[in-house]
Amino acid sequence: MGVCFSCCGPGHDKKTEAPILYTVIYNSESHWSILTQRLGSAWPAVFPFCVFNVAVVLLLSYINADGPIVYISGQGHKFIRFVVAFLFVSRVTMALQRFNEARGHLGQLYRESRELVQYLCTLTAKYQDEKSREYRAELTYRSMLFLRTAVGILDYHTTGLPNWKVPELNGVELDYVLNNLLYHPQNAHYAMLPRCEFEENIRVPLLIGLLLRKSIIEHTKRLPKPLAMPEENKLFAAVDSCVTAYSGLRKFKSTPVPFPLIQMARTFLFLYIFTVPLVFVKDESSIYAHCFAIFLMTYGFMGLEMIAIALDNPFGDDPIDFKSLALAHTAFEDTYLTVLDIDGREWADFLRYRMNDNVGDRLNTEQTWLLSSQDRFANLMVGNTLYKRESEAAQAHALVLDAQIRLAREAEEKKKKEKGFFHFRNPMAKKSPRNAS
């Protein structure tokens, strides 16, 4: 029996159990495990409300020890419970519908990104020349990039990382994105209103989608024989499905549940659940029965409300949230294996290199590929992260060196002035390139 320690922790059988990687895993057949499981449980969020309400019961019992003083009639609760039931059921139902809708769009996005690469490789596998492989690599990289930037929109409020800073975006695609955003100084006058970083961020997948369509239409020039019209339409249809799924996710992020409904439901819920202890004052049951009943009611009402709050935004780092980036990595792995089958290990390693920014964590095959094929793939790797990092380091070193030279010259001039020497510059002298800059 194989035990998996990498993603699930000790004790997880990787042959028989699903990894705890994408969402909360549970065994619905075991009543005890369902009742006692802590991962993904609502207890941590609900328990403080339960304790508070029980404390209110104990306080009222102390105040009314000599007779009912502070209490309310249960008649009002009988009328308000119908309104609470309607708003509460509507609230939870809408949250669950939004949760399933978001998962549907997310699943479509993952599925169509895989389908696009498989269609491309299937339709063009007969062309094994260098230009055809380069064409497939470009289109495949941009399809993975579309998925990565779409996921970046969903995780933006958790990570705070805009799409133009994700490590997977590099090369000419990064230059294209940066030059076509309103953040670019030359494009700022096109903005109709002041735009924030998030609004600019959601434009990036649309720009990558445009690049995908541009790549597809170039098959007439870059393949030995152009694709037939139905084959071309099949690729365009896959891109259309990806953009449709992204548009649905974008609508989900920009259109929350109407605020008045949330406000009314929560107001009635709080008024109802936190006034129940006042109704129990005139009840003749024991204080222990009152505490148990109040604890259970609070857990039921507040627990469902907390679950509805979590379902409202299933993208984040909560246990029940979608692990959208982990799911995207699974799609990337499927894409690498598809390219490995059609174009070989060298091109699969090239794509993985572009989609992996952690240079210190390269696989041995990637290191070997980098040494053996660097010149061959140089035209495809323009602006890649490794080169960009080396270039930035060189520029930083040059800036430090210039600053040191400037400080040394200033110190020299200061010493000359202190000694009484006057330093005159010949105005007719020709400036050196460094001084001219």
Side-chain angles (χ1 to χ4, degrees):
M1 179 180 294
V3 180
C4 176
F5 291 89
S6 59
C7 62
C8 317
H12 169 252
D13 180 11
K14 63 182 179 181
K15 291 184 178 180
T16 59
E17 298 179 18
I20 306 175
L21 184 63
Y22 308 126
T23 187
V24 176
I25 303 298
Y26 57 91
N27 181 12
S28 61
E29 297 178 355
S30 173
H31 303 304
W32 178 251
S33 66
I34 290 293
L35 293 174
T36 58
Q37 179 171 314
R38 295 181 60 187
L39 182 62
S41 173
W43 274 112
V46 179
F47 188 73
F49 294 100
C50 298
V51 172
F52 174 79
N53 234 10
V54 170
V56 172
V57 172
L58 296 175
L59 178 62
L60 291 175
S61 176
Y62 174 77
I63 294 174
N64 298 306
D66 297 332
I69 300 175
V70 180
Y71 67 95
I72 61 175
S73 171
Q75 194 68 23
H77 268 243
K78 291 182 181 179
F79 290 108
I80 198 176
R81 64 186 178 187
F82 296 105
V83 179
V84 172
F86 170 75
L87 291 174
F88 201 60
V89 171
S90 301
R91 169 86 173 94
V92 176
T93 302
M94 289 177 85
L96 188 58
Q97 288 176 348
R98 283 172 54 83
F99 183 86
N100 292 329
E101 178 187 358
R103 187 60 184 90
H105 291 311
L106 204 59
Q108 181 182 353
L109 187 63
Y110 295 136
R111 181 183 68 251
E112 293 301 331
S113 65
R114 292 181 174 96
E115 292 292 306
L116 174 59
V117 176
Q118 291 188 3
Y119 286 144
L120 172 70
C121 291
T122 303
L123 296 174
T124 63
K126 55 186 176 183
Y127 306 126
Q128 290 296 319
D129 58 289
E130 195 75 6
K131 289 186 177 180
S132 299
R133 290 181 174 181
E134 180 180 327
Y135 175 73
R136 283 193 290 269
E138 178 186 291
L139 216 159
T140 301
Y141 170 67
R142 291 178 177 179
S143 69
M144 291 191 293
L145 204 58
F146 182 89
L147 176 58
R148 177 62 183 91
T149 54
V151 168
I153 301 297
L154 306 177
D155 296 339
Y156 174 75
H157 292 293
T158 302
T159 63
L161 185 68
N163 270 327
W164 54 84
K165 291 184 179 180
V166 296
E168 294 86 354
L169 177 58
N170 48 63
V172 295
E173 289 79 8
L174 176 60
D175 295 335
Y176 178 81
V177 167
L178 293 177
N179 291 329
N180 287 276
L181 290 174
L182 293 180
Y183 267 19
H184 195 285
Q186 296 182 356
N187 302 337
H189 64 284
Y190 295 119
M192 306 299 293
L193 294 171
R195 300 299 177 187
C196 64
E197 186 177 78
F198 176 74
E199 291 174 304
E200 285 292 272
N201 197 28
I202 60 179
R203 289 193 172 95
V204 176
L206 299 179
L207 294 174
I208 301 300
L210 179 58
L211 283 178
L212 265 175
R213 292 185 169 104
K214 288 182 177 180
S215 295
I216 292 174
I217 206 65
E218 288 179 355
H219 71 89
T220 57
K221 301 177 181 178
R222 301 174 64 178
L223 293 178
K225 184 179 179 181
L227 298 173
M229 184 65 70
E231 296 172 340
E232 180 187 88
N233 290 339
K234 195 70 173 176
L235 298 179
F236 277 124
V239 178
D240 292 343
S241 296
C242 288
V243 175
T244 301
Y246 168 68
S247 299
L249 292 171
R250 182 173 173 174
K251 181 188 72 173
F252 179 90
K253 293 290 289 185
S254 60
T255 311
V257 179
F259 172 72
L261 179 61
I262 298 294
Q263 187 182 47
M264 286 191 63
R266 197 163 300 177
T267 301
F268 273 96
L269 173 64
F270 283 2
L271 288 176
Y272 180 79
I273 199 65
F274 292 121
T275 56
V276 169
L278 296 171
V279 178
F280 275 75
V281 170
K282 299 187 70 174
D283 188 81
E284 297 179 357
S285 303
S286 67
I287 185 63
Y288 301 105
H290 292 175
C291 290
F292 178 76
I294 293 298
F295 188 95
L296 198 61
M297 290 182 62
T298 307
Y299 172 74
F301 280 93
M302 294 304 301
L304 288 176
E305 177 65 16
M306 291 300 161
I307 293 173
I309 292 173
L311 296 179
D312 280 339
N313 183 21
F315 304 107
D317 52 5
D318 293 334
I320 66 170
D321 288 342
F322 302 138
K323 305 303 182 287
S324 50
L325 186 56
L327 290 166
H329 286 162
T330 303
F332 296 160
E333 293 165 358
D334 294 338
T335 302
Y336 299 145
L337 295 177
T338 302
V339 174
L340 177 66
D341 178 56
I342 301 299
D343 288 332
R345 190 171 304 278
E346 193 173 28
W347 288 91
D349 287 342
F350 165 71
L351 287 171
R352 190 180 187 280
Y353 179 83
R354 293 200 72 179
M355 295 296 292
N356 182 10
D357 187 55
N358 190 0
V359 180
D361 192 28
R362 302 290 183 197
L363 296 178
N364 293 331
T365 55
E366 290 181 277
Q367 297 283 9
T368 305
W369 168 84
L370 186 60
L371 295 175
S372 62
S373 306
Q374 189 169 6
D375 294 334
R376 178 183 176 189
F377 290 90
N379 61 326
L380 298 178
M381 295 167 57
V382 174
N384 206 319
T385 311
L386 178 61
Y387 293 88
K388 183 169 61 176
R389 185 180 295 112
E390 294 176 351
S391 176
E392 291 173 352
Q395 291 177 5
H397 179 70
L399 291 175
V400 172
L401 186 61
D402 288 341
Q404 292 175 348
I405 293 173
R406 184 174 64 255
L407 291 174
R409 287 180 177 175
E410 291 175 357
E412 184 180 358
E413 294 292 336
K414 185 177 181 180
K415 287 182 180 180
K416 288 181 179 181
K417 290 181 179 180
E418 289 175 353
K419 291 181 179 181
F421 294 101
F422 295 94
H423 178 70
F424 295 95
R425 180 191 296 180
N426 185 359
M428 302 301 294
K430 186 177 180 180
K431 294 183 178 180
S432 65
R434 181 176 292 276
N435 292 332
S437 61

